[in-house]
Amino acid sequence: IRAIVALSTPLIIGVLRRSDVLAEAMEARGWHPGPRTALNELKFTARDRRIMLSAALVIGLLWYLY
């Protein structure tokens, strides 16, 4: 257990230091949570339904024939 503590302590300290540096870098670049990009949300249309139904029918027919 002493060996684990001896190895994990420097590791935890290094991780905390790195996270602090990363947080400062993010703040310096003006990062903030929230919407960042213009996301084009895809919509499921009637055409998509027809294509899925056609694909399901073809797969079903191939499965039935073999």
Side-chain angles (χ1 to χ4, degrees):
I1 293 187
R2 285 184 183 168
I4 293 173
V5 172
L7 290 174
S8 63
T9 303
L11 180 66
I12 292 171
I13 291 171
V15 167
L16 292 175
R17 282 185 187 156
R18 182 160 169 80
S19 66
D20 188 43
V21 169
L22 179 61
E24 287 178 8
M26 290 170 68
E27 287 177 8
R29 289 174 176 84
W31 187 89
H32 55 85
R36 297 179 290 159
T37 62
L39 175 66
N40 294 329
E41 208 170 303
L42 299 176
K43 303 221 185 317
F44 198 73
T45 64
R47 181 180 181 203
D48 297 322
R49 287 188 196 99
R50 287 192 305 265
I51 290 172
M52 286 185 63
L53 180 61
S54 299
L57 289 173
V58 168
I59 290 171
L61 182 62
L62 290 173
W63 182 68
Y64 178 73
L65 292 175
Y66 292 106

